[in-house]
Amino acid sequence: QVQLVESGGGLVQAGGSLRLSCAASGSIFSINSVGWYRQAPGKERELVAIISSAGSTIYVDSVKGRFTISRDNAKNTVYLQMNSLKPEDTAIYYCTMQVTATGGTRSYWGQGTQVTVSS
């Protein structure tokens, strides 16, 4: 069984920074692409950033230049460094990983971590 555990959310003022972490545990053979999504109240879940196993990244336009996704393959962990935060970044942030484990390959999701940016 694979589990993803997120940390690092919280309350921050506009212009501030937060760093989210998401660590995978279990009988993991390999991790392919990993990413972060977010869901604001009353809105659909949206992609924030993705990083491939080769290190290629994709960002939603609204966070380009402010957020940085990275991964530590030795620790099965993905990070999201968020700078210059804005009130519209307020949402629950979810990590996702495409994991090959004993049961095969599938996507797993974290439990979500709340990020609140005050104006």
Side-chain angles (χ1 to χ4, degrees):
Q1 186 75 332
V2 175
Q3 289 187 324
L4 305 187
V5 178
E6 303 173 15
S7 61
L11 172 64
V12 65
Q13 288 187 333
S17 298
L18 285 174
R19 188 192 195 207
L20 305 183
S21 300
C22 174
S25 62
S27 301
I28 298 170
F29 294 152
S30 63
I31 298 176
N32 303 313
S33 61
V34 299
W36 290 92
Y37 284 71
R38 66 186 179 186
Q39 187 166 19
K43 296 187 177 181
E44 294 185 354
R45 189 175 296 190
E46 67 168 352
L47 171 68
V48 177
I50 287 179
I51 183 167
S52 71
S53 57
S56 299
T57 57
I58 296 175
Y59 296 92
V60 67
D61 286 346
S62 60
V63 308
K64 286 181 180 177
R66 300 188 297 121
F67 290 12
T68 302
I69 188 171
S70 61
R71 60 192 291 171
D72 184 333
N73 294 328
K75 295 181 179 179
N76 292 336
T77 299
V78 59
Y79 305 96
L80 185 68
Q81 178 67 44
M82 305 185 294
N83 299 327
S84 302
L85 282 160
K86 304 175 181 180
E88 51 263 44
D89 294 318
T90 295
I92 299 175
Y93 284 70
Y94 299 90
C95 66
T96 181
M97 298 186 183
Q98 188 181 48
V99 178
T100 299
T102 54
T105 300
R106 53 158 284 192
S107 293
Y108 292 85
W109 289 83
Q111 79 283 4
T113 185
Q114 177 71 48
V115 171
T116 303
V117 184
S118 63
S119 57

